Amino acid sequence: MRKTRLLAAALALSIAFCGIATVTADEIDDIKNQQAMSQAELDQVNQNINTLEEDKNVLLGQIDSVGQELVLTMVQVETLAGEIEAKNAELEVTAANLAAAEEDKAVQYEAMKKRIQYLYENGGNAGWATILLEESDITELLNQAEYTQKMYKYDRECLEQYASTVQQVAALQQQQQLEQSELVAMKNEQELQQANLEALLENLKATNANYDAALANAQNLANQYRDLIAQQSEQIAVLEEQKRQEELAAQAAAEEAARQQAAAEEAARQQAAAEEAARQEAANQVQQDNSTPDYVAPAPSEPEYSEPEYSEPDPAPSVPGDSSSYAAGQAIADYACQFVGNPYVWGGNSLTNGTDCSGFVHLVYAAFGYSVPRSSASMPGAGWTSVSYSEMQPGDIICYSGHCGLYIGGGQMVHASNETVGIIISSNINYRPIIAIRRVV
């Protein structure tokens, strides 16, 4: 009977182990390996997204910078257009004044000719002889001669005055025409700069659109990898749960087989004990109760309080003051003046073969180791020392709308004016409104 129960328990245990499903650790490991590969691909895509976003941020910065420069250039074009219109009005007034002066000169000349004709007709050799014979009073004769001399002198002075007026007005007209040509050249230069900036901005925006498309594709690919990883995680969770349930079922079957085996062994033991009890006297069973004293945990001690240490804050860093050097500015101005007479070339980068206004200032300062912007639009806002009109010294940069030059003292500046006159020294720095004066040294 005992052998029969042991065989039954062993058979139940064998059946329990044979009934385990075929979910293995290798299957789960394979899916985990696939998931790791998917995660690596996702990490690479995310890295590509970060790189694209960084490049796009740089591009957006360029778009913003070009946009600001474009706005400044457009403002300068409008400002120059207004200045050209004002200069045209001045030229019209000057032309009218010149015509009036010429007319006054002609009228005066005609009047003088008539007076001279009258004097010759009435005061020639015969006329003076008649006066000498007819006049009995020598004083009257002298008065007439003095009056004639005064008329000659008056006519000459009037004619010289009108001629001088015509010459002055003509010189003013020539100066205004030169200034007008300079304004027109600067306006054309700024309009070309505006066109270039607009084209550059369109290219940058097109590149930004390409970045947006690439980012959208990368985000879509990343989402696909995330979905795949989520599916793989779900599949792993299902297999692990299935494996756990199978292990629990196998464990329960093993425990049941062990319980049945233990019950069979207990029944055999009880049968042997009953047989032994029949042969022996019943033994008194002594039970000994062992007890352990209750354990009382000691009360937690209060943590010691320590006063936090106080340290003085570091002193604020000192900011060095601004300084300037008149001698350095004078040296820069003297150096710039040696290129007077060289040609004006828009976009050129040679002090001898040709450059434009901002290129002239840029190259002169570069010769002394200073870096200034290459664009006249950027110079008024550059981070140098701003000085007032009364504080100007040689070497300071005078900024106009769309133009710039170097102050050389005495109310004069040297600058690359236009293609007609090239690099010149202008004696009137106020021929246009000054918008800023910047000191670099």
Side-chain angles (χ1 to χ4, degrees), residues 33 42 53 56-57 70-71 73 115 120 129 139 188-189 205 250 261 292 319-320 337 339 345 396 411 415 429:
N33 290 334
L42 176 60
E53 289 178 344
K56 180 181 178 181
N57 289 333
L70 176 59
V71 171
T73 303
R115 283 193 293 271
Y120 270 104
T139 302
N188 293 337
E189 176 182 333
K205 288 181 178 179
Q261 182 178 359
T292 59
V319 179
C337 288
F339 301 104
V345 177
D396 289 348
H415 61 130
I429 62 174

Side-chain angles (χ1 to χ4, degrees), residues 178-415:
L178 176 63
E179 293 173 355
Q180 183 200 38
S181 66
E182 181 178 337
L183 290 172
V184 171
M186 286 186 292
K187 181 173 178 289
N188 293 337
E189 176 182 333
Q190 293 301 312
E191 287 176 345
L192 180 59
Q193 177 72 2
Q194 177 181 343
N196 292 337
L197 289 173
E198 288 174 348
L200 176 59
L201 188 60
E202 289 300 321
N203 290 335
L204 291 174
K205 288 181 178 179
T207 305
N208 183 55
N210 293 336
Y211 274 115
D212 289 338
L215 280 170
N217 293 334
Q219 290 288 1
N220 184 41
L221 183 59
N223 292 334
Q224 294 177 9
Y225 276 118
R226 291 190 188 97
D227 293 341
L228 177 60
I229 291 172
Q231 294 173 5
Q232 290 168 337
S233 296
E234 183 178 355
Q235 187 177 4
I236 291 171
V238 170
L239 290 176
E240 287 180 342
E241 178 62 21
Q242 183 178 350
K243 186 173 181 294
R244 190 181 69 84
Q245 293 295 335
E246 292 171 352
E247 289 174 349
L248 289 176
Q251 183 180 359
E255 289 176 353
E256 177 62 22
R259 187 188 65 78
Q260 293 179 4
Q261 182 178 359
E265 291 176 352
E266 179 63 20
R269 188 190 65 78
Q270 289 179 0
Q271 184 178 3
E275 293 175 354
E276 183 67 22
R279 292 189 297 268
Q280 298 177 0
E281 292 181 352
N284 294 327
Q285 185 177 358
V286 179
Q287 296 180 353
Q288 180 180 2
D289 297 331
N290 295 324
S291 61
T292 59
D294 295 336
Y295 173 74
V296 179
S301 60
E302 291 290 335
E304 295 183 359
Y305 174 78
S306 60
E307 185 70 21
E309 295 182 358
Y310 174 77
S311 60
E312 291 293 333
D314 294 334
S318 61
V319 179
D322 294 332
S323 63
S324 60
S325 171
Y326 185 92
Q330 185 65 59
I332 291 173
D334 293 341
Y335 176 77
C337 288
Q338 68 178 319
F339 301 104
V340 170
N342 290 342
Y344 175 98
V345 177
W346 186 82
N349 287 300
S350 173
L351 291 171
T352 55
N353 298 327
T355 184
D356 52 26
C357 63
S358 59
F360 178 70
V361 175
H362 171 81
L363 292 171
V364 168
Y365 268 101
F368 289 82
Y370 296 97
S371 176
V372 300
R374 184 58 180 79
S375 168
S376 59
S378 302
M379 287 189 183
W384 308 312
T385 303
S386 177
V387 297
S388 64
Y389 185 87
S390 61
E391 296 173 336
M392 273 194 300
Q393 69 179 31
D396 289 348
I397 301 175
I398 302 176
C399 303
Y400 305 92
S401 177
H403 190 58
C404 59
L406 290 174
Y407 185 64
I408 61 175
Q412 297 179 319
M413 73 170 178
V414 59
H415 61 130

Side-chain angles (χ1 to χ4, degrees), residues 40-56:
E41 294 291 340
L42 176 60
D43 293 341
Q44 181 62 46
V45 172
N46 286 332
Q47 183 177 355
N48 293 339
I49 291 174
N50 292 334
T51 301
L52 288 172
E53 289 178 344
E54 291 175 359
D55 293 343
K56 180 181 178 181

